[in-house]
Amino acid sequence: MHGALQSPGAAPATFTITNSCDYTVWPGILSNAGAPPPSTTGFALPPGQTLAVTVASAWSGRIWARTLCSTDSSGTFSCATADCGSGAVECSGRGAAPPATLAEFTLAGGTGGDDFYDVSLVDGFNVPMLIAPQAPAPASANGSCQATGCPADVNRACPAELRVAAPPPGTAAAVACRSACEAFAEAAYCCSGAYGSPAACAPTPYSRFFKGACPAAYSYAYDDATSTFTCAAAGGGYDVVFCPGTSSLKSGGNPEAAGLPPSNLTMEFSGDAGLVPSRNAVVALLMAIVSLTSMRRC
């Protein structure tokens, strides 16, 4: 992620985190090295609830959702997906165990530069997600300050070899979808070793599956061209929404949401490119979601 220097006296930024899923999620927040900690690093967020989290104006790091969490008889807290391994609700400097849908940010800190942000499926997928700048309307006129994310229910279409099943073992429902790098640990999928450069690491059938599902999200390590977004005037913060949109997007393949209608954005994995909606169609959907979210806030 791109770095930024803190501007003296710059106002803190706010992430307004909303759970539009029909089940509780436990957001986790990790600061990058050298970035000040946020006001919280983990908390429970019931369905329909919103929490504002304050970060430094030049903060950088990531936000994600943990699911199927509980505390055992010894008092240790853990989650079936995206657990941060702290043993507590607060992640306290620990990151998400893949697979996890990640919102990544580098804020400019009032220096006049651009914020950089993206939604990444490089570490796999567990929950649909939207991020959108809380920016003045004119800021989007030049193509900056756009919404991005992965609103599709990727778990429902996850290839069998990448699927993470719900506990207990043997349950058919998928609660997460692993990346090919995590599943196979091969350099070509991980963009490592001889494949550790943009020229050498090309999209694979698995990264194309993720890209087809969510054209605006990162699908592999060097997927920068269509997946990194900027905002020069974010207005002090961002919305982060889990399970954005209509009820058809709210299940996320999570057994806690059993009985919900299937997603309208389902895909079939064919091991080939050309899987689903165009990037423009998905961005248009995301912008419509942002508009509806803003109307609900007002």
Side-chain angles (χ1 to χ4, degrees), residues 57-227:
S57 63
W59 185 82
S60 62
R62 51 184 52 181
I63 300 172
W64 69 96
R66 297 166 286 174
T67 67
L68 295 167
C69 303
S70 62
T71 301
D72 66 18
S73 58
S74 69
T76 301
F77 177 84
S78 63
C79 303
T81 78
D83 188 44
C84 60
S86 67
V89 174
E90 292 272 350
C91 286
S92 302
R94 295 173 179 263
T101 315
L102 301 174
E104 301 179 313
F105 298 90
T106 295
L107 306 185
T111 62
D114 287 340
D115 292 348
F116 289 82
Y117 57 97
D118 65 81
V119 168
S120 174
L121 308 182
V122 174
D123 287 344
F125 173 97
N126 70 326
V127 174
M129 180 189 290
L130 163 79
I131 58 179
Q134 298 170 357
S140 61
N142 62 0
S144 67
C145 301
Q146 299 294 315
T148 186
C150 182
D153 187 351
V154 176
N155 290 334
R156 290 186 182 274
C158 183
E161 59 271 34
L162 304 183
R163 187 175 299 131
V164 176
T171 306
V175 294
C177 190
R178 295 187 294 171
S179 68
C181 175
E182 183 198 359
F184 310 122
E186 295 182 7
Y189 294 128
C190 299
C191 293
S192 61
Y195 297 89
S197 70
C201 195
T204 69
Y206 292 106
S207 69
R208 291 189 183 105
F209 160 73
F210 285 110
K211 197 65 175 177
C214 295
Y218 264 89
S219 61
Y220 76 107
Y222 295 114
D223 189 16
D224 301 87
T226 59
S227 309

Side-chain angles (χ1 to χ4, degrees), residues 190-266:
C190 299
C191 293
S192 61
Y195 297 89
S197 70
C201 195
T204 69
Y206 292 106
S207 69
R208 291 189 183 105
F209 160 73
F210 285 110
K211 197 65 175 177
C214 295
Y218 264 89
S219 61
Y220 76 107
Y222 295 114
D223 189 16
D224 301 87
T226 59
S227 309
T228 298
F229 293 78
T230 63
C231 188
Y238 289 80
D239 289 319
V240 178
V241 183
F242 300 116
C243 302
T246 63
S247 60
S248 64
L249 291 175
K250 290 183 181 177
S251 71
N254 192 309
E256 293 184 16
L260 288 175
S263 169
N264 291 329
L265 292 180
T266 54

